[in-house]
Each structure stands twice: as C-alpha cells, then as structure tokens.
Amino acid sequence: MDFKYIGKSLPRPDAISKVTGKAVYLDDIRLPGLLHAAILRPKHAHAKILNIDTGEAERMPGVVKVVTGKGCDLHYGDNIADLTPMAVNKVRYAGEPVAAVIAETLMQANAAVEKIKVEYEELPFYLDAREAMKDDAVLIHEHSEEYWRLPTLKYIPNTNIANYYRLIKGKGEEGFAEAEVVVEGEFNYPFGSSAAIEPHGSIVWFKEDNSIECWSSSICPFIIRQDLAHNYDLPVSDVRVHIPEIGGCFGYKSDITVEQTIAWIASFVPGHPVKWAATRKEDFTSTLTAHGIRTYMKLGAKRNGKLVAIKAKILHSGGAYSDTAVNVTIGATHNSSGPYEYEHCYLEGYTVYTNTTPIGAYRGYGHQESQFATERLMDMLARKLNMDPFQLREMNYLGPGSVNALGECMWKTNGDVHAAAKAVQNAVFSTEKNKEDDKYYYGRGFAALMKSPKGAPFSTKGCYMKMNIDGSVSVNMGGAEVGQGLRTVVKQVAAEALQIPPEKIRVYSEIDTQFSPYEWQTIGSMFTIQGGRAIIRASDKLIAILKKTAAQVLKTDEDYLEYNGEYVYLRNDPSIKVAVKDICRGYITSDGITIGEVAQATADARLPRYSNPDSETGQGSMGVDYTFGAQGAEIRIEKATGKIIVDHFASSFDMGRVINPKQLRSNVLGGVLMAVGATLSEELRYDENGHQGNPHFFKYRIPTLKDIPAKSTTVFIENPGAVGPFGARGIGEHPVIGVAPSILNAIHDAIGVDYYEIPVTSEEIKKALVDRKENA
Amino acid sequence: MAEKYTIKVNGIERTVEAETDTLLIDVLREKLDLTGTKRGCDNSTCGSCVVILNGKAVKSCQKKIAQVDGGEVITVEGLSRGKELHPVQKALVEAGAIQCGFCTPGIATELAALFEENPDADEETIMRALNKHLCRCTGYEDIKNGALLAQKLMKDER
Ligand code: FES
Ligand code: FES
C-alpha cells in the first residue's frame, strides 16, 4: 500500500503555540469574577471528624465562604460510587479534602485555610493491602454494600476488599499437575505518581441560569459532564466542560476526581467561577497515585520449556476509594500472563481499601506491574531449566492460533512478538558482553511484553468533519491532547483518508462538550486505533456526499465516479470531472440553483465486539486489539557506589502501521525514561503517621537529562492490525511495560542478585555487593 | 506591605503594586497576565518558571519582587518578534522537543539566555543548564538535540 501522508514525520500542529508560551493551560485561564479555593487536608490518615470550627477562617480578609462536607450526601464513581466530594464524617487518607476556603485571591484563601480547626478521633490505619485484609482490621468503608457499583464487580462484605476478580482458563490451578518444573515469587511495584509537570486542577462555575460550566486539566470531559449533571440533577446538556491544553497526564488526570470536589466548593458561591490548581504537594497527595501492586506468581512448565500453567494473585493497595483502582487491578490480573500462552490459568485480583491516596490510571494500567513478575520469572525459569531465555520465550509466545488468558484467539493481525524480540536481541545481545573491569560490572537483560487496551462498553470516540468552501477541512474530535501527539495523528490520518494535503486540514485545538463530538475518555492508548477509525469512517461518508453531488453534476451514477482529493471524475475518462471545491457546499449551477448537500460527516468508532467478562470464568473479549513488543537493557554497575547506569535501552513494538516515525520514537523514549525512573528511583513513601513522606520533586526523584541512556534504539515492526486506521496500533503506554524487568534481569546478569521489588537504588546494590563479599 | 516596583518586562517598563515578598512568578502571571511562565512545583525544583533576568536564566519562583526591582525581565512571550520565532524556539519545534509543552517556556528562556551570553557553550555547559529542567514527556533526547540545533541557528544568525 502506498501512502502519501502516513509514515511521514510531520510537525505537531500545536508546537508553535506551546513554544511561544501562548498555549492556555488550566491555571492560565482568566474569567470574570473568578474566585480561588484552598483546601484543608487532614492531620490523620484515618479518623472520625468530631467537629470543624470555621469561625476564625471566615473572618479572615478576602474570604467569601468556608465550605465543609457537612450535609453532603453526594456519592460518585463510574465503577464503584464510593467517592464523596469532601470528607463527611470521617477521613480515609491524609490527602483528602476536609474543608475549603473560597477567597478573592489565592494568598487569602491559603492564609484562611490554616485557621480552620478540626477535631478528630483517630482510627487505626492501613498503608498496605496485607494489613487491611487482616481479619481484625477495622473497615475503612463501613457501608460499602450501599454503594452503587457496576454489575460485573464483586465486593466481599465486611472486609476491606472492594473488589475481587478471578480468571480461570482450562483447569485453572489444577493445571499445575501437568507441570514438571515450577518457579514462583513475590514481586512488588510500589506506590508512585504520574507527576506530570503541570499539576492537576479545575474551575467550576455554577451559573445563575442553573447550568454548570467547568474547565479541567482532564482527559475525560464527557464523564465529568455526565457525573456533574447526575450529582446536581441537571440535564447533561446543561453542563458544559472545557478542556484547555494539558501539561502531561500519563493516566492520573483521567476519571472524575478533583472536579467533583471543586464543584461542591463552587456550589456555595453560585455566579462565581472557582479555581483550584493543585500545588505540587497536593498533586502527589490528593490526586490519583499509581501502582501499589504486589504480585504473587507461579509458573509451571514441562521440562522442555513448554509453559502449562500460571497462577497469579494480585494484591492491590487501592487507596481510600476504589472507584479508579478497580479496573487497574483487573487489568493487572488478566494481563499478568504477558505475551505467552498457557493452557491453564488461575489469576486473582484483589482491590483493597487502604488509607492511602486513591490509586488510578498510570501509563500502562496494570500491565507493567504484573508483567514485571512474568518477565522476571521467565528468566528464573530459564535458569532452572538450564535453557536459553530467548529460546524459552520463543517456544511460548502467543501467535496466530493461540489463545490468551482471556480466551481470545490471536491472529496475524495482532502482530508479531517474535519479530520484536528478534529486533531487541539483535540490538542488545548480538555483541560480546563487556567484561567486568576495575570500576564496573556489566549486565544485559530482556523482557517481552503484551499490551491490551482497557475498553468498556460504549467506550467510543467521535469525529465531526466538515469541508469548507475552498476544499479545506476542519476535523473536530473529543480526544485529549496531553502531549502524546494525537493532533498530529488526526491530521495525518485525515489527510490520507481524504487524499488532501495536511496543510489543508485544520485539527481542533480544544475540547468543549458543547461543540465536540462524544468521546468516552482518552485512555488506554486507544485514540489512534478508535479515533483513527472514526476519522476513516467520517471521511468515507464525506466522500460519498461529494460523489452523490458530483453524480448529479456529471449526470452519471455515484459508483461510476472516482475521487482523488481534488476532483471527482468518471472512472473511464478522468477528463470528465468536477472540482471538489465546486461541490463541497453543494453545486451551484450557472443559473444559481444549488444541488446536493454540504460535505460534512459525523462518525464514531469503538473496539469492535468488546464484551464484559463472564461472571464465572472472568474471561471475555476485553482486549480485542493487542500489541506485542520487547525491550532490552545494557547496564553498568559502578562498584564503588552501586550506581546503575543504563548505557543502552532498546525497544521494539509491532505498531501495525507507523503514522509518524519521529513522534513515535519520541513517545517511546519518554515512556522508557519514565519507567527507568520507577525502576531506579521513584517511590511514594508514607510515614508512620500515614502521610506521604516525599511529595516533592527533590525527594521524589523523576529522571533528568543526566539519567538518559547513552544510547536508545527503537525498532518498529509493521504487521497491520485489523481495527486501527491503515492497520495502526497505539503506543502511549507500551514503552513503560518491559523496562523494570529488563533492568532487573540485567542486574542479575551483572552481579547475580535477584531483585523482586523496585526501585532498586544504588544503596541497595551497594549493600548487596558488600553482602556478597562477606559471604564469599 | 504593598509597595510599588518597576521592572522592564519584554522591553516595556511596568510598575506593579505588590507585597515585598511577592514572587516574580506571581507578578508575571497574576499581575501582568504573562501566563507563558509556568509553575510546576512548590520549591524551585522543576525549572518551568525560568525567565531571563538581567541576562541570566533564573527561576522566577525563587525571586521576590523586591529583589528584582529596577531589573529587566524577558519571559517566553518576549522571545519571538511577531510571527518570527526566536532561533531557540525554531530549534525546539524543529527537533520535536515539544510534547505537552509545559516545560517548554522554561527551557526556551534558559537556552536563549545561555547562548546569548555564551554562544560557544560546550556540550557539558549546555547539559548542565538543561539538567535543571524537568520534563516528564520527552525523555530529553529531542530537547538535547533542540539545544544543539539552537546553538547552531544562533551562531548562523550572527
Ligand atoms: S515553579 Fe518549579 S522551579 Fe519554579
Ligand atoms: S513536554 Fe511535557 S513536560 Fe516536557
């Protein structure tokens, strides 16, 4: 297939507005009568609220209103409605909103919020699922049975277990009877933060005409619209949500979270927009955090290396509210089998309430946490079997005809993990490994991976397309640009589908639920696949309209016409033609009569035949479109300090079709470095009082320029998929999945020590090196 | 105590009334509506708020207005001339160094100050300047390439 605009590294449509500082992010929005909110966070991680004294705060200069959760009976959540906008009678984590001050300026609000006095009665608190699951643990939610939840979810009454998901394939656990060799281990992916450089924030405005207007640094305007309308008893059409430019997301700005809190606060000052932008500290403590996933995993194989059974138990410390964690747990559970086929699977996922900041989406959505276990164990199994780890994996990869844990059959159109693995093997393992020297140990590690989207019923994406009178085209969609480059993809896919040069395609620059087509949420690396498909569908409709008009002008049948972006012409005689720009608003004859209709179209697309899991087996068509890949690391460990230096990192994915090679590589490098951060330094830690101990960048160390690998290899394989535009697949989350196991496998290769938990810091390595010396 | 301060911002003299300890970032963003300067942290660790103060790249969240009275500030808005981008801006666009764009203004002003003062800055100096900037999106490779290209473009323009 020859492409004109696909596969080219076109520049981003939004680069100039960003580089000139003119792009408007949430905190840059100015509105008439804007007031500012500051929010009080509790002293304790789990406590009853006995009394809140707001008197002194109310008398502070500039204060318009002090708000508490008193009398608030609103609950929300799209999976489990366990969230409240503000703590009502108790607090369940140390970052929860307890009260708020609305004032003329932010400084005044901050000064007054400190004057609010709250009396608490402390309760025992749990920072880890294992603690919260103990028989004598107090309940974090006393009445969880009263919460609305999706019918597919199952809570366990009178426990802190918010949800239990189980997947059985084949004989389940009994399948291990067929195994001749078994390996097992317990792996931990600790709490982390998406830590976008733009902190989260929202503005909500209850208007005098009884409508609500909201702005949020969010990727799900339509969920916000729907949930606010529901809570405040309005028609959905009376809530208008705007999404300005977003300064990075990586997951945590999905779902509805802070918007409900700001709405509750703003509801006390109708007529005024109220703004809250998180401080960096609040962004860590009081927006969605990540991971908190402990994986117990066991693999069973034949002596020849053929895998037969997998058992995994995922313990997810989901935080004080589980609405946003529960699907991460489920994703971690059914994707824990990675890129391999097992005849028997027994996979369990527990989402557990803990007194920590709620967990939500983070780039990878459960995949990296549980496949960290899979890929560490595959190396261990290879050692136990005395087999080459590549060969072991080769024997077991999913491929055409094999069936994954969910029961979905794989096709050629799901891509080729062998090819991706080979590419990484060539890049990283084809030369002799460096020999240990005075200063360093050297090691190399590998991981293969599988990524499924995380869909839902009606997780659709819409496209409005209109051709203007000069033949240029405006494309309007609801997908949120968070930096991933979605606008570039829209432009290139639309250009290709319409055969129009990209310069003549204008891509939407903001989202406004009043004008934008419906989009579920921009998550799961699904925009390219579904959004791209919606663009193709809209383009096809638009071209059909042009042909219909042209058929009248050229006095022939529609199906006898061809279209090339500039003209519609007779199939057998291209000289009989009409210019697209002459028919795009209908054709005006010389006597002024207009025939035909305006060339504009709407379409949407979702994951075809996505389905809910079966209530017995937990299986179902929940992945639909898969991506396979592989990653590998070459590292060096400094003997004196224990420092791990990543010298070379290689990634390969079967992208189906590369839309923009430059952007794709940039996306992969960004993802890899983010996961290098998680592997070597990032961890959100809670102190003995249940407060986050390091909610600042100088303590929660995200990678800087000097942490980048000296060399980065990216190789993209193109076996077209069946769903995405021109066969393309998504890439947003994939690069983070195989990084931790690659590096930890490389550490073992270098110094012979197995780590089961990240981050692996230089202190830990140093300690291991000392221990090793002592034991030797 | 609110006082009057005068600073030259992007070539124009501006007088603002502010408390002595008001931060430069807040003067720029809240009083002068120059929202291109971004806030990404609470304690001067991200670099998003960097502006050029008297020729040097500084974190505007680290300077109180009283300290900069009479000074000259260039923000990201002051780099381009109409539609003509500053060479640093051209280079960052060209190199694909912009994803979400939130870290971009700080990086652009940092590099503009650096190459204005030291057109021949060696790679280590450039890396040291960039190392104060956090970017969660790009993995820095494109930013690094953008910086090297910017240096070349600025030299070519001389
Ligand atoms: S706002 Fe982060 S360094 Fe100034
Ligand atoms: S481009 Fe997003 S933080 Fe740098």
Side-chain angles (χ1 to χ4, degrees):
Chain A
M1 217 172 178
D2 270 350
F3 294 106
K4 261 183 161 154
Y5 310 114
I6 295 292
K8 308 260 171 356
S9 291
L10 258 56
R12 307 175 61 100
D14 52 19
I16 293 188
S17 75
K18 287 173 175 174
V19 84
T20 51
K22 302 295 165 57
V24 173
Y25 299 79
L26 183 98
D27 200 19
D28 305 336
I29 294 169
R30 271 60 184 142
L31 292 166
L34 183 73
L35 297 174
H36 300 263
I39 300 175
L40 181 73
R41 313 289 173 181
K43 279 207 186 68
H44 309 289
H46 196 195
K48 283 190 187 143
I49 299 173
L50 301 180
N51 186 42
I52 305 183
D53 177 359
T54 57
E56 198 184 338
E58 276 158 17
R59 293 188 293 274
M60 291 288 285
V63 170
V64 177
K65 190 91 196 166
V66 181
V67 174
T68 69
K70 202 170 163 207
C72 178
D73 59 358
L74 303 175
H75 278 273
Y76 68 98
D78 281 344
N79 303 293
I80 304 172
D82 59 1
L83 286 149
T84 51
M86 195 163 272
V88 182
N89 294 315
K90 69 184 276 192
V91 294
R92 297 181 172 92
Y93 70 103
E96 191 159 359
V98 173
V101 171
I102 308 168
E104 301 281 343
T105 70
L106 181 57
M107 271 220 260
Q108 291 166 335
N110 282 331
V113 86
E114 287 179 18
K115 306 289 180 193
I116 300 173
K117 293 183 201 67
V118 187
E119 278 172 58
Y120 296 99
E121 181 187 316
E122 281 184 69
L123 295 165
F125 63 87
Y126 312 106
L127 303 176
D128 188 282
R130 293 168 302 177
E131 299 290 314
M133 284 169 88
K134 287 193 174 145
D135 287 345
D136 59 349
V138 301
L139 293 181
I140 295 172
H141 290 262
E142 294 85 351
H143 301 291
S144 61
E145 72 283 357
E146 288 172 9
Y147 299 145
W148 170 89
R149 67 194 72 223
L150 286 175
T152 47
L153 299 179
K154 291 188 193 100
Y155 73 104
I156 303 186
N158 298 313
T159 69
N160 281 318
I161 297 166
N163 190 57
Y164 172 68
Y165 166 75
R166 188 183 62 179
L167 185 153
I168 299 177
K169 182 188 173 197
K171 294 192 206 142
E173 211 172 345
E174 282 160 32
F176 278 92
E178 296 167 23
E180 293 163 347
V181 185
V182 164
V183 284
E184 58 191 314
E186 178 187 335
F187 299 86
N188 191 33
Y189 217 103
F191 294 125
S193 169
S194 293
I197 307 300
E198 182 212 20
H200 207 334
S202 301
I203 299 170
V204 183
W205 188 355
F206 281 72
K207 302 187 118 174
E208 290 89 339
D209 67 358
N210 211 22
S211 67
I212 299 176
E213 201 160 347
C214 167
W215 289 254
S216 190
S217 179
S218 161
I219 58 172
C220 54
F222 291 90
I223 303 239
I224 297 170
R225 180 178 70 156
Q226 178 184 328
D227 280 28
L228 289 180
H230 179 255
N231 268 5
Y232 293 93
D233 207 13
L234 293 173
V236 168
S237 48
D238 282 353
V239 179
R240 179 176 178 189
V241 181
H242 308 254
I243 305 297
E245 211 63 60
I246 300 170
C249 170
F250 316 107
Y252 78 129
K253 293 173 177 172
S254 62
D255 294 309
I256 176 160
T257 56
V258 300
E259 297 82 5
Q260 284 281 10
T261 300
I262 309 313
W264 171 251
I265 295 168
S267 70
F268 289 84
V269 287
H272 287 278
V274 175
K275 173 156 85 181
W276 171 83
T279 60
R280 176 51 55 187
K281 183 177 176 189
E282 286 179 306
D283 202 60
F284 278 110
T285 61
S286 307
T287 70
L288 296 178
T289 55
H291 321 308
I293 291 181
R294 189 173 290 277
T295 304
Y296 301 84
M297 188 178 279
K298 180 165 140 186
L299 306 183
K302 295 284 188 202
R303 236 180 294 281
N304 68 3
K306 180 85 198 134
L307 291 169
V308 290
I310 178 173
K311 180 180 172 183
K313 181 164 138 189
I314 308 285
L315 278 195
H316 196 182
S317 303
Y321 298 90
S322 276
D323 173 54
T324 50
V326 61
N327 277 323
V328 181
T329 323
I330 294 172
T333 309
H334 68 70
N335 291 307
S336 66
S337 52
Y340 308 108
E341 184 177 37
Y342 302 84
E343 211 179 317
H344 312 290
C345 303
Y346 189 80
L347 312 175
E348 294 176 288
Y350 292 86
T351 313
V352 184
Y353 286 123
T354 47
N355 298 108
T356 51
T357 306
I359 300 291
Y362 174 108
R363 195 177 204 170
Y365 211 77
H367 288 72
Q368 70 268 49
E369 294 91 337
S370 62
Q371 291 185 34
F372 166 49
T374 323
E375 287 306 299
R376 289 290 290 120
L377 280 178
M378 285 303 277
D379 261 32
M380 294 178 192
L381 179 62
R383 269 185 259 150
K384 196 160 183 179
L385 292 168
N386 211 359
M387 244 179 112
D388 171 47
F390 295 106
Q391 196 198 339
L392 171 66
R393 288 178 168 94
E394 282 288 319
M395 279 178 70
N396 293 289
Y397 283 139
L398 287 165
S402 55
V403 176
N404 70 5
L406 281 170
E408 289 174 289
C409 182
M410 295 291 122
W411 305 88
K412 188 164 183 287
T413 50
N414 291 118
D416 185 358
V417 62
H418 295 267
K422 275 267 146 28
V424 170
Q425 216 178 325
N426 284 340
V428 176
F429 296 86
S430 59
T431 53
E432 267 303 295
K433 190 178 105 177
N434 282 333
K435 291 253 172 350
E436 180 188 339
D437 54 33
D438 290 352
K439 285 183 78 179
Y440 300 107
Y441 297 106
Y442 296 87
R444 303 187 294 198
F446 174 88
L449 61 96
M450 171 275 278
K451 174 77 178 68
S452 71
K454 185 70 192 81
F458 204 63
S459 51
T460 200
K461 301 190 189 296
C463 175
Y464 296 166
M465 189 179 268
K466 63 177 182 223
M467 193 171 255
N468 306 305
I469 61 171
D470 59 352
S472 66
V473 172
S474 310
V475 183
N476 188 12
M477 301 183 73
E481 170 68 66
V482 293
Q484 79 280 54
L486 155 167
R487 291 176 183 137
T488 330
V489 170
V490 171
K491 194 171 196 144
Q492 288 183 253
V493 171
E496 192 69 50
L498 291 166
Q499 292 295 296
I500 287 178
E503 305 82 73
K504 288 175 75 180
I505 309 250
R506 188 76 198 173
V507 177
Y508 67 105
S509 58
E510 59 203 276
I511 305 172
D512 174 345
T513 56
Q514 181 165 289
F515 306 113
S516 303
Y518 180 86
E519 156 129 354
W520 176 55
Q521 322 194 44
T522 313
I523 60 167
S525 310
M526 279 183 282
F527 188 84
T528 297
I529 313 170
Q530 297 178 299
R533 189 171 154 83
I535 295 169
I536 301 228
R537 286 176 156 180
S539 304
D540 288 348
K541 286 187 186 172
L542 193 144
I543 293 167
I545 292 170
L546 292 171
K547 283 189 178 167
K548 194 169 161 196
T549 307
Q552 295 180 65
V553 179
L554 302 176
K555 302 190 174 64
T556 186
D557 300 322
E558 285 159 44
D559 63 0
Y560 199 56
L561 292 171
E562 295 292 335
Y563 161 91
N564 67 4
E566 242 179 301
Y567 294 99
V568 181
Y569 54 90
L570 288 199
R571 182 165 301 150
N572 64 330
D573 181 358
S575 71
I576 305 196
K577 63 185 179 184
V578 59
V580 165
K581 68 175 170 29
D582 293 332
I583 50 175
C584 58
R585 57 172 167 166
Y587 180 82
I588 305 176
T589 63
S590 54
D591 42 13
I593 298 167
T594 303
I595 49 178
E597 58 184 298
V598 172
Q600 55 189 357
T602 68
D604 76 323
R606 64 199 78 117
L607 288 176
R609 294 183 59 81
Y610 167 91
S611 76
N612 283 333
D614 177 86
S615 59
E616 275 305 303
T617 64
Q619 289 186 308
S621 189
M622 289 152 76
V624 182
D625 201 38
Y626 286 86
T627 308
F628 293 100
Q631 294 181 302
E634 279 181 83
I635 65 159
R636 222 174 345 146
I637 297 178
E638 194 174 42
K639 292 181 170 176
T641 59
K643 190 174 172 191
I644 300 168
I645 300 152
V646 182
D647 285 321
H648 178 197
F649 199 91
S651 302
S652 178
F653 301 96
D654 191 335
M655 293 315 307
R657 179 78 61 205
V658 173
I659 292 177
N660 184 313
K662 172 88 186 70
Q663 204 169 276
L664 189 55
R665 176 173 163 92
S666 305
N667 198 315
V668 170
L669 298 196
V672 166
L673 194 64
M674 200 168 170
V676 168
T679 308
L680 301 180
S681 71
E682 294 177 33
E683 181 183 3
L684 266 188
R685 290 183 299 268
Y686 287 83
D687 65 19
E688 63 287 355
N689 300 314
H691 287 261
Q692 282 184 16
N694 57 337
H696 288 293
F697 282 141
F698 63 95
K699 290 179 171 168
Y700 184 93
R701 274 239 320 116
I702 70 171
T704 65
L705 177 68
K706 68 176 187 347
D707 300 312
I708 69 176
K711 181 176 167 196
S712 295
T713 302
T714 50
V715 181
F716 301 111
I717 321 277
E718 296 185 86
N719 289 301
V723 185
F726 312 109
R729 299 192 182 86
I731 189 63
E733 303 166 276
H734 314 23
V736 304
I737 299 172
V739 176
S742 296
I743 293 178
L744 268 62
N745 287 343
I747 294 174
H748 182 273
D749 186 43
I751 59 170
V753 180
D754 275 316
Y755 287 91
Y756 294 83
E757 191 156 342
I758 54 169
V760 181
T761 59
S762 45
E763 293 80 54
E764 270 172 86
I765 297 275
K766 219 175 147 187
K767 191 173 160 293
L769 294 177
V770 171
D771 289 353
R772 209 169 63 152
K773 241 192 220 140
E774 281 167 4
N775 293 339
Chain B
M1 254 281 289
E3 304 254 355
K4 282 203 171 143
Y5 298 96
T6 301
I7 47 175
K8 200 171 194 185
V9 183
N10 300 332
I12 303 171
E13 208 145 276
R14 311 291 296 257
T15 300
V16 294
E17 218 179 277
E19 305 285 325
T20 48
D21 59 353
T22 305
L23 300 173
L24 177 58
I25 186 175
D26 293 320
V27 171
L28 295 172
R29 288 184 52 85
E30 306 308 323
K31 303 220 179 258
L32 303 176
D33 274 342
L34 291 166
T35 54
T37 301
K38 302 298 180 205
R39 184 197 303 279
C41 72
D42 311 340
N43 32 36
S44 306
T45 42
C46 73
S48 330
C49 66
V50 163
V51 297
I52 306 172
L53 172 66
N54 303 325
K56 295 252 186 273
V58 301
K59 291 174 177 165
S60 62
C61 70
Q62 235 175 4
K63 294 281 172 207
K64 296 189 173 135
I65 183 68
Q67 291 172 285
V68 306
D69 193 20
E72 192 172 339
V73 176
I74 297 171
T75 68
V76 66
E77 289 93 340
L79 291 182
S80 48
R81 299 266 164 273
K83 286 186 183 173
E84 182 60 23
L85 298 187
H86 188 282
V88 164
Q89 293 173 311
K90 278 186 208 157
L92 291 173
V93 171
E94 172 73 33
I98 301 160
Q99 289 191 22
C100 82
F102 203 75
C103 67
T104 310
I107 289 172
T109 44
E110 179 80 47
L111 293 172
L114 173 66
F115 295 137
E116 198 58 57
E117 191 185 15
N118 184 2
D120 299 308
D122 59 11
E123 197 167 321
E124 208 200 306
T125 310
I126 300 173
M127 294 309 122
R128 210 174 319 121
L130 287 177
N131 204 49
K132 4 185 240 251
H133 294 266
L134 295 180
C135 172
R136 193 60 154 165
C137 302
T138 61
Y140 302 104
E141 182 183 87
D142 297 325
I143 294 179
K144 188 172 147 184
N145 293 338
L148 297 174
L149 178 61
Q151 184 176 36
K152 186 176 167 300
L153 292 184
M154 277 179 78
K155 271 195 191 159
D156 291 353
E157 268 192 16
R158 274 165 198 263

